[in-house]
Amino acid sequence: MQNREIARLLAEVADLMEIGAEDGFRIRSYRNAASVIEGYPESIADIVRNPERKVTDVPGIGKGIAAILKDVVERGTFDKRDQMLEKYPPSALELLKIQGLGPKSIALLFEHHQVGSIDDLERLCKEQKLRDMPRMGAKLEEKVLRSIAQYRQRAGRFLLSFGQRTAAELIDYLKQTPGLEKVEAAGSLRRGRDTVGDLDLLATGPGAETALDRFTTHARVHEVLGRGANKASVRFGLEGLQVDLRALPNESYGAALQYFTGSKEHNVNLRGRALKMGLTLNEYGLVRLEDGVRVAGETEEGIYEALGMPWIPPELRENCGEIEAALEGRLPKLLQLSDMRGDLHMHTTATDGRGTLEEMVEAAQALGYEYIAITDHSKALAMSNGLDETRSVAFAKHVRELNGKGLGIRILSGLECDIKRDGSMDLAEDALAELDIVVGSVHSFMNMETVEMTDRLLRAVESPNLRILGHPTGRILLNREGYPFDFEGVASAAVRRGVCLEINASPERLDLSAAMVRTAKALGARFAISTDSHHPRSLRVNMPFGVLTARRGWLQASDVLNTLPVNELMQAIRKP
Ligand code: DGT
Ligand code: CA
Ligand code: CA
Ligand code: ZN
């Protein structure tokens, strides 16, 4: 069992215990253990099984959790979990994912109405029964109904980062099949969508059919959904992500890659174009209608070429004008990861980061960056030990001294300054003026009405020291919608004020979304792609997600602030 799966079991039981209003101390110890295990570099199951090791040597794992881990490794569950699942159905966990309902409310609903599923909850709201419950009201019914609709939309989808990890694991495994020539992922994963529904793997070579058997017998396959002569579908891992694998002949591999990469809308448009040229396009190839001769199919490039256009990068294949642009020779020269020369949003141990300033600098140097901005939180985030004016000014001075030492990388003193409820900055402007760069972000009071939130952000971009609007919508993928505001209005104000919009590269955020990036670009916006790292390794891990999102938004290197060489960057962010 993988660390991630063990962590999930613990976290789920903690959630159920929360619904059961059990001892907070114990709940916290489960959650802490889950977070330690999830981030632990070695396999916890291996340590538990190894008689020469003690799992209690892992920091944060005590005797109680160690006993649970032994149970989990031996039988896939543990006593407390069995107990909790007797008391509450597993579907109760789903209820926790509905925004607006905390564990206390769920416990109440369970007690009074035996609500065990989302459907039950929906019915209760529609029958207006929530309003009779303690501390609930008609407004909550509305909110819960909205949250349920949103939940259903995202249910069954997974973060791109999770899809990529799973695909990489399976591809590594399948590659060991003798005679397999190629295996790669198509579908939304290849297009770089922020979430994926399922994985679409393609394989070719004489070993491709053997690979199907290897696939369906993988140790983490929970269910084989189907197995045909050249296709198999499975549910993979505890999360139950569906994965399809297709075995293909070499001569139609390119056609299949094109077809299964999608998007569906892109393919429909492309097929229409083919028909006008007297050609038919499907997953087997591109064929001339009059005489049935195959004109392309082995490679994707060959297909696009035969249709009179250059190869279109998968990130653009959403039928948003890319085919027309390709035909007219005006596809953008998309941003690449290697264009990135620095990172402008990260945290350290001074607030809620896990790496010291030195460790972050080292990680950035390993990436060959010219500069990084350290942007810890400001004082409004008291729980994260955010910086006040005094600490912030001292930090700016410290960074000036560090840069005097010739580190080979420029450190920018920065701050992720909270945007307060009224749109003013959390720290006084004269303190902010001491810093090289200020990222302004909303972290609180996200439930404002559209007009108020718009005013708040419009005021924020007027701050003379603000350079970047951080994670502009506040969304958390598969979890929380962004707050509502007039995006075009705020983006236009940002353009006028020379404030960049962040593409937050954390795979849970990807905020702005690709669609918003494209809208803002049309308004003349400039962007910063930043990892929001809370750990040194995130500098490397997150950036590709930000770049993918930018590419999906049609961005070129010139649209992005942190592709600039250090001198030009310092010019671009200088004080008026
Ligand atoms: P997902 O899995 O929901 O994140 O999104 P996709 O784009 O991976 O969609 P999926 O897995 O249903 O199908 C993969 C690709 O296969 C899709 O992007 C285009 C192609 N495809 C699937 N079904 C159809 C179809 O009915 N018509 C056409 N033209 N293409 C299809
Ligand atoms: Ca898919
Ligand atoms: Ca699929
Ligand atoms: Zn933030």
Side-chain angles (χ1 to χ4, degrees):
M1 198 181 260
Q2 296 202 334
N3 287 356
R4 214 168 47 237
E5 295 170 335
I6 299 176
R8 207 183 68 149
L9 287 184
L10 285 167
E12 282 178 0
V13 174
D15 284 347
L16 290 174
M17 289 164 72
E18 198 131 15
I19 298 174
E22 299 205 10
D23 176 31
F25 182 76
R26 228 173 132 192
I27 296 175
R28 263 197 309 285
S29 85
Y30 279 37
R31 285 205 202 288
N32 287 341
S35 109
V36 166
I37 291 169
E38 193 173 20
Y40 204 65
E42 268 183 278
S43 158
I44 293 288
D46 286 351
I47 298 176
V48 170
R49 279 197 222 98
N50 186 343
E52 284 163 22
R53 302 278 304 269
K54 282 210 257 51
V55 74
T56 44
D57 290 343
V58 175
I61 305 288
K63 281 219 178 78
I65 299 288
I68 288 175
L69 291 176
K70 190 160 168 288
D71 226 10
V72 167
V73 169
E74 277 168 11
R75 56 186 196 97
T77 181
F78 54 102
D79 290 346
K80 184 73 192 174
R81 178 163 182 269
D82 299 339
Q83 248 178 49
M84 294 313 293
L85 285 178
E86 245 166 63
K87 213 162 148 194
Y88 302 103
S91 54
L93 287 170
E94 259 196 309
L95 292 175
L96 278 170
K97 298 183 184 144
I98 301 295
Q99 265 179 63
L101 275 190
K104 285 204 184 89
S105 315
I106 293 172
L108 273 175
L109 289 169
F110 200 80
E111 189 184 320
H112 289 262
H113 294 285
Q114 285 79 46
V115 171
S117 69
I118 306 244
D119 291 345
D120 290 349
L121 178 64
E122 183 179 34
R123 201 177 49 244
L124 225 57
C125 289
K126 286 192 172 149
E127 291 169 0
Q128 310 196 328
K129 293 214 167 111
L130 241 51
R131 60 186 69 181
D132 304 329
M133 309 268 302
R135 290 191 311 276
M136 301 188 198
K139 238 185 151 162
L140 185 67
E141 283 168 356
E142 245 173 73
K143 180 167 183 194
V144 167
L145 282 174
R146 246 195 339 266
S147 310
I148 289 177
Q150 286 164 7
Y151 173 78
R152 290 211 173 110
Q153 231 175 37
R154 67 184 186 237
R157 297 196 68 82
F158 298 84
L159 291 181
L160 175 62
S161 52
F162 175 74
Q164 282 188 354
R165 275 202 304 274
T166 309
E169 180 183 343
L170 276 166
I171 287 171
D172 272 357
Y173 166 84
L174 291 170
K175 269 190 178 154
Q176 292 160 25
T177 319
L180 198 71
E181 276 161 20
K182 267 189 256 176
V183 50
E184 63 191 307
S188 51
L189 183 98
R190 183 161 180 245
R191 301 198 311 279
R193 262 195 77 172
D194 45 29
T195 63
V196 298
D198 70 1
L199 302 188
D200 308 279
L201 304 183
L202 308 179
T204 187
E209 279 169 43
T210 323
L212 288 177
D213 292 326
R214 253 179 89 71
F215 178 59
T216 53
T217 53
H218 187 288
R220 294 181 64 215
V221 162
H222 281 225
E223 194 187 345
V224 177
L225 300 167
R227 168 70 159 96
N230 35 38
K231 183 193 164 187
S233 290
V234 303
R235 283 206 185 284
F236 189 80
L238 272 185
E239 294 84 357
L241 173 63
Q242 184 180 326
V243 187
D244 304 339
L245 173 64
R246 289 180 168 81
L248 301 155
N250 237 316
E251 67 269 16
S252 62
Y253 187 78
L257 184 59
Q258 197 289 318
Y259 181 90
F260 291 109
T261 295
S263 67
K264 198 172 161 180
E265 293 73 18
H266 173 88
N267 288 355
V268 168
N269 191 344
L270 207 62
R271 257 202 312 279
R273 161 94 192 150
L275 279 176
K276 278 194 204 133
M277 298 173 71
L279 297 163
T280 167
L281 175 64
N282 57 33
E283 66 252 59
Y284 306 106
L286 184 65
V287 173
R288 207 152 55 206
L289 283 167
E290 56 177 30
D291 55 7
V293 170
R294 274 168 72 90
V295 297
E298 200 169 326
T299 67
E300 261 193 346
E301 287 81 357
I303 290 171
Y304 284 101
E305 195 190 339
L307 292 173
M309 63 188 95
W311 179 81
I312 300 178
E315 295 92 329
L316 299 184
R317 299 186 197 168
E318 300 291 349
N319 196 31
C320 289
E322 72 279 9
I323 293 175
E324 295 70 19
L327 286 169
E328 291 161 24
R330 48 175 184 82
L331 280 176
K333 186 176 176 308
L334 292 181
L335 174 77
Q336 294 185 327
L337 184 58
S338 56
D339 292 324
M340 303 310 300
R341 293 187 200 239
D343 194 331
L344 299 174
H345 183 167
M346 68 192 70
H347 301 270
T348 70
T349 46
T351 61
D352 61 355
R354 304 269 288 275
T356 62
L357 188 153
E358 290 72 21
E359 287 166 335
M360 299 309 276
V361 169
E362 222 174 276
Q365 281 169 323
L367 291 171
Y369 282 160
E370 291 183 24
Y371 48 85
I372 54 170
I374 303 287
T375 57
D376 269 308
H377 289 293
S378 65
K379 66 187 177 192
L381 288 193
M383 292 232 309
S384 324
N385 188 28
L387 274 62
D388 60 11
E389 280 82 355
T390 313
R391 277 174 75 204
S392 180
V393 170
F395 166 70
K397 178 160 172 277
H398 176 57
V399 168
R400 279 195 293 275
E401 287 163 8
L402 278 177
N403 282 320
K405 291 185 187 166
L407 298 171
I409 183 170
R410 173 75 188 240
I411 308 173
L412 276 65
S413 60
L415 187 74
E416 185 184 14
C417 188
D418 234 61
I419 295 172
K420 292 200 289 190
R421 192 177 193 163
D422 63 0
S424 64
M425 292 290 138
D426 187 23
L427 298 199
E429 293 288 349
D430 59 347
L432 296 181
E434 297 286 316
L435 296 161
D436 292 319
I437 193 163
V438 175
V439 180
S441 306
V442 166
H443 292 115
S444 55
F445 305 108
M446 296 194 208
N447 277 332
M448 294 169 91
E449 301 295 327
T450 308
V451 178
E452 280 86 63
M453 188 56 93
T454 304
D455 287 346
R456 179 181 183 181
L457 292 170
L458 286 174
R459 176 163 178 203
V461 298
E462 293 302 320
S463 157
N465 293 294
L466 185 76
R467 290 292 171 274
I468 297 172
L469 187 58
H471 42 74
T473 77
R475 75 169 178 173
I476 303 291
L477 286 164
L478 305 178
N479 189 331
R480 183 174 82 199
E481 304 286 312
Y483 34 76
F485 65 99
D486 168 13
F487 177 62
E488 296 191 19
V490 171
S492 304
V495 172
R496 181 172 44 76
R497 295 282 309 155
V499 169
C500 291
L501 301 178
E502 183 176 83
I503 299 176
N504 190 294
S506 159
E508 288 86 33
R509 290 191 185 269
L510 297 180
D511 179 8
L512 297 174
S513 68
M516 288 173 121
V517 167
R518 208 161 168 215
T519 305
K521 179 181 156 100
L523 296 168
R526 189 182 234 182
F527 303 84
I529 307 179
S530 307
T531 60
D532 197 355
S533 288
H534 286 70
H535 194 288
R537 74 167 167 265
S538 310
L539 290 176
R540 181 189 293 277
V541 172
N542 291 4
M543 189 56 90
F545 294 102
V547 170
L548 261 180
T549 304
R551 288 169 64 89
R552 285 176 60 76
W554 292 54
L555 295 196
Q556 316 204 21
S558 55
D559 296 312
V560 179
L561 180 67
N562 45 331
T563 61
L564 291 176
V566 63
N567 292 331
E568 290 174 38
L569 173 89
M570 296 313 285
Q571 274 297 311
I573 62 174
R574 76 188 181 282
K575 303 282 143 47

